[in-house]
Amino acid sequence: MTERKGISRRGLFGAAGAAVATGVAGYAAHSALASEPSQAADNTGPVEFHGPHQAGITTPVQDRLHFAAFDVTTTSRDDLIALLKEWSAAAALLTAGRDIGQYGAVNGPDEAPPEDTGEAVGLPPARLTITVGFGPSLFDKRFGLAAKRPKALVDLPHFIGDDLDPTRSYGDIAVQACSDDPQVAVHAIRNLARIGFGRVAVRYSQLGFGRTSSTSRAQSTPRNLFGFKDGTANLKLEDADKLEQQVWVQPEDGPDWMVGGSYLVSRRIRMNIEIWDRTSLGEQEGIIGRGKGTGAPLGKADEFDVIDFNAKQADGEPKIPADSHVRLAHPQFNNGAELLRRGYNFVDGSDGLGRLDAGLFFLAYQRDPRKQFIPIQNQLAKSDTMNEYIHHVGSAIFACPPGVTPGTYWGEKLFT
Amino acid sequence: MSTSLPRRAAVLGVVISLGALTACAKDEPAAKDDGTGPVSVKASDSGCDLSRRDVKSGTSTFSVSNGGSKITEFYVYAEGDRVMGEVENIGPGLKRDLIVELPTGKYQAVCKPGMVGDGIRGDLTVTGDAPAQVDEDALLKQATESYQRYINSQVVALEQQTTEFTTAVKAGDLAKAKALFPVARTYYERVEPVAESFGDLDPKIDARVNDVEPGTEWTGFHRIEQGLWVGNTTKGMEKYADQLLTDVKTLVAKAKIVKLTPLQLANGAKELLDEVATGKITGEEDRYSHTDLWDFQANVEGSQAAVQALRPALQTRDTALVTQLDTNFKAVFAAVDKYREGDGFKSYNLTEAEKKALSQVVDGLAEPVSKVAGVIAKK
Ligand SMILES: [Cu+2]
């Protein structure tokens, strides 16, 4: 049986045999990939890994997610740096649709376990992106990073109603893998976790499907599990100026190592699906502030019609209720603060009570959570009528460094 | 309480009216018994004896004296346990009157010693002129009036029981305070959607620790609960006891003059079951005392009171729904009954399988209850 050799994914893209080792050697070697023609126009093709910003933030949202938060188990700074180098090298290969390691999934010696776990063999890159962030806990005493902790990387405050499960919250390092193929995203996290064994351990992970927002005007607005269009007013990659204002850390913000990066807040939001489904259409629409069919603001006809918060019904009540989700989350009522959301629906089967363990894995990128997520969420936690139907069970914040340029690794400036 | 508060206000859209409700209990009934005078009810821990079980249509007075050792309640139910009238919280040795308007028909007179369970039931027949035909609007109006009487009786009892509970806390009587905690909450939980409609009062009275706004002091039932069960002492809880009684009194005053629409009744009934499904099934509500089953029962009773107030109107519009509601309410009560212990309930340390069984019957009930609003709204 020799034919199994040679069916690796790299064969699909004609990059014959460019053997790339894991580890530091690989991290240096993979730079050749950068010169390959991009297939980003093909929506199964690869998304460029290198660049001034990490991919997976403004990249048009893929359909699937595998998100993992890791605890660093080594206490050695050098180990941590080596890991980030290996991860960066592996990520460049994974996002290009290649096996990792020198021999990949099937070309290695019979006596050794394959370097790549192999479940993505034969699958296209599926627009895989891998995005990394560092949690506040990484900046404790262990790695000498305390002085480098960004001021904006605050510990999130307790929000009213928070019911956080520590085993679904926090983490030293986050890895967000997004792809149009769930198997490709799972493959990425699985292989990075494997590379990390002994240095990092998975604290929790979350699968997501059905992107719940658009980050590009080319995308239609998807629906969340409440059946409503979500992300209509999201920040879009076409809004270049706004992205500078709201998403990317600017030189004046500091610290240096974060310039061009962004802060990620993740929240596992459990939805009381069964109860929502028993709620009348009128109430559902009033809670959201939009029509369920059209997605239009209440009182308007089209999804993208400008919201008129002053419009009143015949009885004098506002057409968009004062405690509706769209109103409370709108920049007009949040000092202009916006978020770039790229959350995902999740259904982790059912809980032991027979109810769907389902909801929204909320992911939001921003320039400064102190001015964006925290005040917005405080307002929502206090007044949003939707709180009757959701509860926040997981929470984390991460500083996502700027993009990796060829020859460097994730967060290099943090360590130098 | 549920995760957050303001929806209740929005949904119930409570309108405060100064037109106070007719009190349902008055003193000094006439004593003669010629078939028109008051019916005397001798309630005990094991009996519920009525001086007669036939009354004439129109206004009847039931003079209830509690000769037992437990607090009791007395109800007159129409079909489907629709509350025609009730007196709550009759302590041992006390006597209270129920004055109620009863049209011709078959009813049940019920004493509930210990305030729990199906109670001790007997038939009550009302004879006289055939009831006049009432139109649908009149049926809906009766529904809201009937439910408002229910609210009124519940909040009166809430204030009395909270007074006893907080008195026990302040007197340092830990055992008594623990015993009274779920009892006082029963009256709160039965009318929770109404209670929650008063903005800040619900969080002050019923917030769980994680619902508290940063910078705000945690007060109310659950604050004291933590002191009693985790701290195992009443010490330090005195000020919370005072605050709780003050807040409850404010709530009672507001609830007595609340005006509800039929749709609000229907939504309130649904919300009470939502409360069960989110807070009680999981054991989050009473996480220190594990008295969740008391609250569970009370939420379902409150839901039933609201649904059954609408029953005559529902009956003319969707008989099948009424039948289903009756069946499914029975199923839920039967499921909770398994966990009775003494005058109350077992501690909520159920297995996952037991919780799941409860969850299933609640879902089975919540689904038809969620349809009530649509049926009522249909012209
Ligand atoms: Cu509650």
Side-chain angles (χ1 to χ4, degrees):
Chain A
M1 293 291 286
T2 52
E3 64 183 24
R4 68 196 161 123
K5 298 191 172 170
I7 56 164
S8 102
R9 298 171 73 199
R10 74 191 80 158
L12 289 174
F13 300 97
V20 182
T22 51
V24 179
Y27 133 80
H30 80 274
S31 59
L33 291 169
S35 60
E36 289 177 10
S38 164
Q39 297 181 43
D42 169 3
N43 72 351
T44 63
V47 175
E48 177 57 54
F49 175 69
H50 296 110
H53 307 298
Q54 290 195 66
I57 300 176
T58 58
T59 307
V61 185
Q62 302 92 324
D63 197 53
R64 306 293 178 135
L65 169 79
H66 192 187
F67 181 94
F70 293 86
D71 290 325
V72 179
T73 52
T74 177
T75 51
S76 152
R77 180 182 164 108
D78 289 344
D79 277 359
L80 175 59
I81 292 171
L83 173 76
L84 289 167
K85 287 180 176 174
E86 288 170 41
W87 269 5
S88 301
L93 292 167
L94 289 163
T95 54
R98 293 161 173 261
D99 289 8
I100 59 163
Q102 187 172 1
Y103 302 106
V106 292
N107 292 325
D110 284 343
E111 296 73 18
E115 288 164 308
D116 185 291
T117 56
E119 73 271 29
V121 171
L123 298 176
R127 298 200 303 134
L128 175 70
T129 55
I130 301 172
T131 315
V132 157
F134 304 128
S137 52
L138 194 70
F139 298 85
D140 59 12
K141 293 196 184 106
R142 289 173 292 168
F143 310 107
L145 297 173
K148 294 211 165 184
R149 177 171 170 175
K151 290 207 168 57
L153 186 66
V154 290
D155 293 305
L156 293 175
H158 172 86
F159 299 103
I160 309 171
D162 269 7
D163 194 5
L164 303 183
D165 175 353
T167 67
R168 291 186 191 279
S169 301
Y170 322 120
D172 291 332
I173 305 181
V175 181
Q176 169 199 286
C178 300
S179 164
D180 288 323
D181 185 323
Q183 186 131 329
V184 170
V186 167
H187 174 254
I189 294 292
R190 175 175 167 188
N191 282 275
L192 295 183
R194 188 177 172 209
I195 291 170
F197 282 138
R199 292 174 288 183
V200 290
V202 175
R203 183 178 172 91
Y204 53 91
S205 81
Q206 180 69 54
L207 285 172
F209 65 92
R211 61 182 173 89
T212 59
S213 65
S214 308
T215 57
S216 163
R217 297 201 197 290
Q219 294 182 305
S220 62
T221 311
R223 287 179 188 268
N224 60 27
L225 292 180
F226 281 156
F228 277 77
K229 290 195 174 189
D230 202 343
T232 300
N234 200 21
L235 284 173
K236 306 278 201 290
L237 70 90
E238 291 85 354
D239 309 324
D241 287 351
K242 269 199 171 173
L243 295 180
E244 296 299 324
Q245 288 161 24
Q246 304 272 353
V247 177
W248 304 123
V249 175
Q250 301 295 315
E252 66 264 31
D253 301 338
D256 275 0
W257 71 267
M258 269 299 286
V259 174
S262 191
Y263 294 92
L264 168 63
V265 171
S266 65
R267 308 275 292 176
R268 188 177 194 269
I269 305 174
R270 176 85 189 265
M271 291 174 168
N272 299 328
I273 297 282
E274 291 78 6
I275 289 171
W276 177 261
D277 292 346
R278 286 173 202 138
T279 302
S280 71
L281 178 61
E283 195 175 338
Q284 289 185 2
E285 292 184 333
I287 289 165
I288 305 287
R290 288 182 180 275
K292 193 166 189 176
T294 57
L298 293 180
K300 296 285 174 126
D302 182 78
E303 184 193 343
F304 294 100
D305 284 346
V306 176
I307 307 183
D308 179 2
F309 290 110
N310 298 318
K312 298 252 194 310
Q313 301 175 155
D315 63 0
E317 290 295 311
K319 281 188 174 160
I320 312 268
D323 46 14
S324 64
H325 193 70
V326 288
R327 182 186 288 259
L328 293 166
H330 197 274
Q332 190 178 323
F333 302 98
N334 288 286
N335 285 320
E338 296 186 60
L339 298 166
L340 184 138
R341 284 170 294 135
R342 46 159 45 239
Y344 287 84
N345 298 324
F346 70 83
V347 176
D348 291 347
S350 314
D351 62 17
L353 300 173
R355 311 177 298 189
L356 285 182
D357 182 358
L360 171 66
F361 196 71
F362 172 94
L363 296 168
Y365 288 90
Q366 59 217 291
R367 181 173 163 188
D368 189 340
R370 295 169 299 177
K371 296 180 183 145
Q372 295 168 275
F373 178 77
I374 292 171
I376 295 173
Q377 181 56 28
N378 262 325
Q379 173 152 292
L380 290 171
K382 207 170 176 175
S383 312
D384 188 359
T385 47
M386 196 194 281
N387 294 331
E388 293 285 339
Y389 301 93
I390 60 176
H391 60 292
H392 292 237
V393 294
S395 178
I397 183 169
F398 302 98
C400 303
V404 176
T405 51
T408 69
Y409 61 92
W410 270 313
E412 181 166 313
K413 280 192 183 153
L414 171 60
F415 295 94
T416 50
Chain B
M1 66 176 270
S2 47
T3 48
S4 188
L5 331 139
R7 180 169 74 101
R8 307 305 189 187
V11 169
L12 281 166
V14 168
V15 177
I16 304 293
S17 141
L18 291 170
L21 297 155
T22 344
C24 59
K26 279 184 194 159
D27 288 332
E28 309 246 337
K32 58 182 182 164
D33 198 358
D34 59 358
T36 57
V39 178
S40 73
V41 180
K42 294 210 179 327
S44 66
D45 292 349
S46 56
C48 188
D49 299 325
L50 273 65
S51 59
R52 56 174 202 283
R53 292 189 175 273
D54 283 288
V55 295
K56 293 261 184 293
S57 60
T59 307
S60 287
T61 300
F62 295 85
S63 185
V64 188
S65 49
N66 183 6
S69 63
K70 297 171 180 174
I71 298 172
T72 196
E73 298 168 339
F74 177 74
Y75 292 84
V76 176
Y77 285 144
E79 197 185 354
D81 287 0
R82 174 161 68 100
V83 179
M84 299 302 291
E86 77 282 348
V87 277
E88 302 286 346
N89 197 35
I90 312 165
L94 292 183
K95 184 172 159 187
R96 296 185 61 199
D97 285 355
L98 167 67
I99 299 171
V100 59
E101 178 101 9
L102 294 173
T104 303
K106 295 244 174 248
Y107 299 88
Q108 287 195 308
V110 183
C111 298
K112 278 195 193 172
M115 301 183 301
V116 290
D118 266 359
I120 303 159
R121 293 175 175 235
D123 291 337
L124 179 73
T125 309
V126 179
T127 52
D129 301 335
Q133 281 298 335
V134 278
D135 64 19
E136 291 223 328
D137 285 351
L139 288 177
L140 291 175
K141 186 161 174 281
Q142 282 174 15
T144 56
E145 286 170 358
S146 145
Y147 187 65
Q148 274 157 350
R149 280 196 301 275
Y150 177 78
I151 299 281
N152 206 17
S153 70
Q154 296 303 312
V155 296
V156 167
L158 171 66
E159 185 175 329
Q160 291 166 343
Q161 286 299 319
T162 307
T163 304
E164 289 198 31
F165 168 62
T166 52
T167 303
V169 170
K170 292 177 69 178
D173 191 339
L174 182 65
K176 191 171 177 194
K178 281 184 173 179
L180 289 175
F181 171 80
V183 180
R185 289 186 55 74
T186 292
Y187 297 101
Y188 192 82
E189 294 286 324
R190 281 182 185 159
V191 297
E192 187 154 5
V194 173
E196 288 181 344
S197 68
F198 303 117
D200 285 352
L201 279 170
D202 179 59
K204 285 170 84 175
I205 294 171
D206 197 31
R208 283 95 49 108
V209 60
N210 52 310
D211 296 321
V212 179
E213 199 173 330
T216 307
E217 194 181 18
W218 179 30
T219 59
F221 277 117
H222 296 301
R223 177 67 192 88
I224 301 173
E225 180 196 7
Q226 190 198 45
L228 300 184
W229 271 272
V230 179
N232 208 35
T233 175
T234 59
K235 283 207 183 65
M237 293 299 114
E238 297 82 359
K239 66 169 182 164
Y240 299 115
D242 283 337
Q243 185 64 46
L244 175 63
L245 187 57
T246 304
D247 293 335
V248 162
K249 282 182 170 164
T250 309
L251 176 91
V252 170
K254 290 186 172 192
K256 277 182 178 170
I257 52 173
V258 72
K259 278 272 182 203
L260 300 168
T261 67
L263 217 49
Q264 288 164 346
L265 258 62
N267 282 322
K270 182 191 106 67
E271 284 163 13
L272 279 159
L273 298 178
D274 292 349
E275 285 282 324
V276 174
T278 52
K280 277 73 178 189
I281 294 270
T282 53
E284 284 161 55
E285 181 80 27
D286 301 307
R287 62 188 68 169
Y288 314 112
S289 63
H290 306 297
T291 55
D292 301 271
L293 285 166
W294 293 71
D295 289 18
F296 183 120
Q297 170 87 10
N299 282 160
V300 180
E301 285 169 347
S303 178
Q304 187 190 34
V307 167
Q308 296 300 2
L310 292 164
R311 183 190 182 94
L314 282 176
Q315 193 71 265
T316 67
R317 295 168 179 226
D318 192 339
T319 332
L321 180 61
V322 172
T323 309
Q324 196 186 2
L325 288 166
D326 284 351
T327 309
N328 296 7
F329 269 113
K330 274 206 185 91
V332 172
F333 287 124
V336 198
D337 276 348
K338 290 195 207 150
Y339 303 107
R340 289 197 177 283
E341 194 173 79
D343 284 346
F345 290 95
K346 280 169 71 170
S347 171
Y348 198 66
N349 293 317
L350 307 190
T351 66
E352 286 306 307
E354 289 172 321
K355 288 182 186 176
K356 186 171 182 181
L358 284 177
S359 179
Q360 280 167 353
V361 286
V362 171
D363 272 343
L365 173 61
E367 205 53 50
V369 167
S370 74
K371 294 190 178 120
V372 171
V375 174
I376 289 299
K378 203 163 51 194
K379 269 284 170 194

PDB file of all heavy atoms in Angstrom, chain B residues 185 206 224 265:
ATOM      1  N   ARG B 185     -41.989  33.543  50.662  1.00  0.00           N
ATOM      2  CA  ARG B 185     -41.688  33.629  49.227  1.00  0.00           C
ATOM      3  C   ARG B 185     -42.810  33.087  48.358  1.00  0.00           C
ATOM      4  O   ARG B 185     -42.977  33.501  47.215  1.00  0.00           O
ATOM      5  CB  ARG B 185     -40.392  32.868  48.914  1.00  0.00           C
ATOM      6  CG  ARG B 185     -39.168  33.576  49.439  1.00  0.00           C
ATOM      7  CD  ARG B 185     -37.905  32.864  48.972  1.00  0.00           C
ATOM      8  NE  ARG B 185     -37.857  32.727  47.526  1.00  0.00           N
ATOM      9  CZ  ARG B 185     -37.595  33.729  46.684  1.00  0.00           C
ATOM     10  NH1 ARG B 185     -37.363  34.931  47.159  1.00  0.00           N
ATOM     11  NH2 ARG B 185     -37.568  33.513  45.383  1.00  0.00           N
ATOM     12  N   ASP B 206     -35.724  40.507  45.373  1.00  0.00           N
ATOM     13  CA  ASP B 206     -35.568  39.119  44.916  1.00  0.00           C
ATOM     14  C   ASP B 206     -34.305  38.858  44.104  1.00  0.00           C
ATOM     15  O   ASP B 206     -34.197  37.821  43.458  1.00  0.00           O
ATOM     16  CB  ASP B 206     -36.820  38.750  44.086  1.00  0.00           C
ATOM     17  CG  ASP B 206     -36.979  37.245  43.900  1.00  0.00           C
ATOM     18  OD1 ASP B 206     -36.568  36.503  44.807  1.00  0.00           O
ATOM     19  OD2 ASP B 206     -37.504  36.830  42.861  1.00  0.00           O
ATOM     20  N   ILE B 224     -30.674  37.513  52.621  1.00  0.00           N
ATOM     21  CA  ILE B 224     -30.926  36.928  53.946  1.00  0.00           C
ATOM     22  C   ILE B 224     -30.764  35.410  53.885  1.00  0.00           C
ATOM     23  O   ILE B 224     -30.216  34.791  54.794  1.00  0.00           O
ATOM     24  CB  ILE B 224     -32.334  37.324  54.452  1.00  0.00           C
ATOM     25  CG1 ILE B 224     -32.445  38.859  54.531  1.00  0.00           C
ATOM     26  CG2 ILE B 224     -32.624  36.692  55.810  1.00  0.00           C
ATOM     27  CD1 ILE B 224     -33.832  39.380  54.860  1.00  0.00           C
ATOM     28  N   LEU B 265     -52.606  39.269  31.650  1.00  0.00           N
ATOM     29  CA  LEU B 265     -52.808  38.043  32.432  1.00  0.00           C
ATOM     30  C   LEU B 265     -52.190  36.859  31.709  1.00  0.00           C
ATOM     31  O   LEU B 265     -51.503  36.034  32.302  1.00  0.00           O
ATOM     32  CB  LEU B 265     -54.312  37.766  32.580  1.00  0.00           C
ATOM     33  CG  LEU B 265     -54.988  38.118  33.892  1.00  0.00           C
ATOM     34  CD1 LEU B 265     -54.907  39.600  34.141  1.00  0.00           C
ATOM     35  CD2 LEU B 265     -56.432  37.643  33.869  1.00  0.00           C
TER      36      LEU B 265
END
